[in-house]
Amino acid sequence: DIQMTQSPSSLSASVGDRVTITCRASQDIRNDIGWYQQKPGKAPERLIYVASNLHSGVPSRFSGSGSGTEFTLTISSLQPEDFATYYCLQHNGYPRTFGQGTKVEMK
Amino acid sequence: QVQLQQWGAGLLKPLETLSLTCAVHGGSLSGYYWTWIRQPPGKRLEWIGEISHVRSTSYNPSLKSRVTISIDTSRERFSLNLRSVTAADTAVYYCTRFSPSVGYTWFDPWGQGTLVTVSS
């Protein structure tokens, strides 16, 4: 299995802060990764596809980068509705695997 | 806009079979991989497996001996069966659609989730 190591597992931030979350893959996954946001009691929602492409309707403060084994999700200016848990998900190999999640909490 | 609606039993006893169904509203089943994912309490999301409209399947090796995913194209729905459940199978189960188009790969939309609890 491809292991996805996501960091940090949690962070505290304030509205307006810049937030960066990292995922490292245990092997080269090219750019076959997506980022998802999950709020309590809800299903995950797509943010970024193929490492760096913003899904339609997702605010431009979200961005993704990376290729190979290192990937980042950045929120340029954290908004109140962004407090949630974020997951990376690789679809380069089977089984598909997730990072352990990053919970973004209010400072 | 495609929507997924899922349902199934939420409380099971050990060794029973978990059965969930996901209906696809507003879109075609062809060209996608119909997927089940679960989230145990406090743990990361786990990919269970997928099926295409021509019934090609892939399963997580950790569950492969107990899992069957099936599809009913005439009724536009797909299902998950997980046999011989234990407490470790307690989780929220989600159905979702995987788009495999090169450069446009993603999991979207998602069902609303079903909490399945295994307890004697």
Side-chain angles (χ1 to χ4, degrees), chain A residues 4-79:
Chain A
M4 302 299 292
T5 304
Q6 187 174 340
S7 62
S9 55
S10 66
L11 64 90
S12 296
S14 300
V15 172
D17 283 354
R18 182 181 182 88
V19 169
T20 299
I21 298 167
T22 298
C23 258
R24 288 190 175 88
S26 59
Q27 64 190 64
D28 187 346
I29 60 169
R30 303 182 305 179
N31 61 352
D32 296 333
I33 188 171
W35 290 93
Y36 296 80
Q37 178 193 67
Q38 187 179 33
K39 295 184 177 178
K42 299 291 188 181
E45 292 188 357
R46 81 288 187 276
L47 294 174
I48 302 286
Y49 66 98
V50 197
S52 60
N53 296 274
L54 201 65
H55 271 288
S56 172
V58 175
S60 59
R61 62 181 179 273
F62 290 92
S63 64
S65 65
S67 67
T69 61
E70 290 240 1
F71 304 89
T72 60
L73 172 70
T74 300
I75 309 172
S76 61
S77 178
L78 196 66
Q79 298 302 301

Side-chain angles (χ1 to χ4, degrees), chain A residues 36 38 46 87 91 94 98, chain B residues 39 44 50 105 107-108:
Chain A
Y36 296 80
Q38 187 179 33
R46 81 288 187 276
Y87 293 93
H91 51 79
Y94 286 99
F98 290 83
Chain B
Q39 187 170 35
R44 76 175 73 189
E50 67 183 19
T105 45
F107 289 84
D108 185 72

